[in-house]
Amino acid sequence: MSINTEKQNKWVALCKSWKEKWPVFTGDYKDNEFSTNIYSFIEYLSNSITNKHIVVTDAGSPSYALPQNLKCKLNQRFIFSASQADMGFSVPGSIGVAKANPDKQIIVDLS
């Protein structure tokens, strides 16, 4: 085992321990009778989509909540304007994504 592989394994183990210690989604985020919590929605979305879906999002809460919480499947794509969270990105972004991936279903967040 090389030193780099050993360091990588330690890093992955540390990240997994952090995920267990501080989960992103907890039962505290469940919907109530008055509203839907964004983290609860993302948990539902994560459990509902497959690698045949591509998720595109815009600015606002989804620009930080989705990258942090969406559980992408193998070969699944999540597209967003990471560095600037540009308002209006999801419309032209989803058009480009759909044009480049005609065999995929595009899920667009327009919040």
Side-chain angles (χ1 to χ4, degrees):
M1 180 182 293
S2 72
I3 293 174
N4 286 339
T5 303
E6 187 176 326
K7 284 183 180 182
Q8 288 173 344
N9 290 340
K10 286 181 180 181
W11 176 250
V12 169
L14 179 61
C15 290
K16 284 181 179 180
S17 72
W18 288 341
K19 284 176 77 172
E20 289 175 14
K21 186 174 182 178
W22 298 297
V24 176
F25 180 78
T26 68
D28 297 337
Y29 300 138
K30 291 287 185 193
D31 299 340
N32 62 45
E33 63 183 296
F34 302 109
S35 66
T36 298
N37 182 290
I38 190 169
Y39 296 102
S40 181
F41 172 76
I42 295 169
E43 184 74 9
Y44 175 80
L45 179 66
S46 293
N47 293 331
S48 301
I49 58 178
T50 69
N51 63 358
K52 296 189 185 305
H53 297 94
I54 299 175
V55 179
V56 181
T57 193
D58 216 316
S61 296
S63 69
Y64 66 82
L66 272 164
Q68 192 178 52
N69 297 285
L70 189 66
K71 297 174 184 86
C72 289
K73 314 302 188 281
L74 184 64
N75 296 321
Q76 186 176 42
R77 299 289 183 250
F78 170 56
I79 311 293
F80 69 111
S81 177
S83 61
Q84 295 177 318
D86 299 319
M87 291 177 63
F89 169 80
S90 62
V91 173
S94 62
I95 292 169
V97 168
K99 185 86 169 152
N101 300 278
D103 58 326
K104 302 281 186 171
Q105 292 182 352
I106 313 304
I107 298 172
V108 185
D109 169 27
L110 298 173
S111 61

